Amino acid sequence: MAGKVNFHQECATCGARHKSIFCHLEIDELAAFDATKSCMSYKKGQVIFNEGGHPLGLFCVNDGKVKIEHTGQDGKEQIVRMAKAGDVLGYRALLSSERYNASAVALDDTDVCFIPKDSFFGVLKTNPGLSLDIIKMLSTELRKAEQSITDLAQKPVRERMAEALLFLRETYGFEEDEATINVVLSREDIANLVGTATETAIRLLSEFKKDGIVESVGKKIKIIDQDKLVKTANVYN
């Protein structure tokens, strides 16, 4: 694991916990995590875990933003998930005793807590509520994966671009102006999220600007006409 152990956040006082699957844990269960976990800070671009690695525990995002990306046979990256504070990472590989099928990379300065496997499974075995929450989380991720596969096969790339922007809005929210999406992504990252070439992503964003749907605010994207964006995505808002 790349990263530097440089802070400690007790689970009981962690604001991100209330957004995570650990929100209903008892004090003694949280203390079991605190006794064994480590907390690390990652700079933008640092890898939290690598595709093909063996899972040794579970990662919980304390603060920041993370992309989870899978490398195809042609070497091209595909972003399969985006994470924020409160989200857990690496759980599928840990639960199935498989290697990581994707890499997790910090999108900005990100704080992550690592809970060792034995500690996590110790609580999981005695807490049916946590088990149910994990089943729900896995079911949700499966539904999203199925929808993504369908979109890639059937939706035009222009619709997928619009849907990706709506997804980023839902995941990270807006800046104080209630219009600028609160995440910085390179055009390559946007292309990897949409499932297209970088040149196509740049062209589509340029078209969206000409159509009065979005505009650039530094390296961020501001949604000018949300209704038109939803219509372009061909989704129900």
Side-chain angles (χ1 to χ4, degrees):
M1 291 178 294
K4 182 179 180 182
V5 180
N6 65 346
F7 78 97
H8 183 74
Q9 171 66 64
E10 292 186 1
C11 291
T13 58
C14 176
R17 178 174 68 86
H18 300 289
K19 308 172 187 175
S20 79
I21 57 172
F22 304 131
C23 60
H24 298 123
L25 295 189
E26 300 293 336
I27 295 299
D28 61 330
E29 294 171 323
L30 296 175
F33 286 166
D34 282 329
T36 59
K37 77 178 184 182
S38 56
C39 302
M40 294 154 283
S41 292
Y42 295 84
K43 295 294 185 183
K44 178 179 180 179
Q46 277 194 301
V47 176
I48 299 169
F49 59 78
N50 273 303
E51 183 174 346
H54 292 279
L56 301 176
L58 191 72
F59 297 87
C60 186
V61 182
N62 176 267
D63 186 43
K65 304 175 181 70
V66 179
K67 64 177 178 178
I68 296 87
E69 54 187 15
H70 173 71
T71 304
Q73 290 186 345
D74 59 356
K76 181 174 173 55
E77 302 289 350
Q78 175 71 43
I79 295 179
V80 296
R81 186 181 164 210
M82 309 289 283
K84 59 185 183 303
D87 288 344
V88 292
L89 310 174
Y91 56 86
R92 192 202 60 78
L94 184 65
L95 292 170
S96 61
S97 298
E98 297 175 349
R99 296 187 180 213
Y100 292 123
N101 191 50
S103 299
V105 182
L107 282 170
D108 56 16
D109 291 349
T110 299
D111 295 334
V112 177
C113 293
F114 174 76
I115 302 171
K117 176 169 60 176
D118 291 345
S119 180
F120 171 67
F121 279 125
V123 172
L124 184 63
K125 290 175 181 177
T126 60
N127 190 317
L130 178 59
S131 299
L132 182 58
D133 285 341
I134 289 176
I135 290 172
K136 289 179 180 178
M137 181 173 64
L138 287 167
S139 298
T140 298
E141 290 302 319
L142 178 59
R143 174 182 58 79
K144 290 179 179 178
E146 290 172 343
Q147 185 61 54
S148 179
I149 291 170
T150 303
D151 287 349
L152 282 171
Q154 300 181 4
K155 272 197 166 189
V157 66
R158 181 179 171 87
E159 289 185 12
R160 300 205 310 268
M161 172 62 78
E163 191 170 6
L165 296 179
L166 291 172
F167 166 73
L168 291 173
R169 179 203 66 181
E170 290 300 317
T171 303
Y172 296 119
F174 287 134
E175 301 271 311
E176 292 182 1
D177 64 1
E178 295 297 324
T180 303
I181 301 173
N182 187 26
V183 65
V184 175
L185 289 177
S186 68
R187 295 302 182 254
E188 182 179 9
D189 277 340
I190 293 175
N192 292 344
L193 179 62
V194 174
T196 190
T198 303
E199 295 78 8
T200 302
I202 293 171
R203 175 178 58 78
L204 286 170
L205 286 174
S206 179
E207 289 179 6
F208 282 14
K209 291 175 186 177
K210 291 178 181 177
D211 293 341
I213 299 174
V214 303
E215 68 179 32
S216 296
V217 179
K219 294 184 178 180
K220 294 184 177 180
I221 295 174
K222 182 176 182 178
I223 299 176
I224 302 300
D225 192 328
Q226 198 153 215
D227 290 338
K228 190 179 289 187
L229 183 63
V230 170
K231 186 176 180 180
T232 302
N234 194 22
V235 296
Y236 293 103
N237 196 24

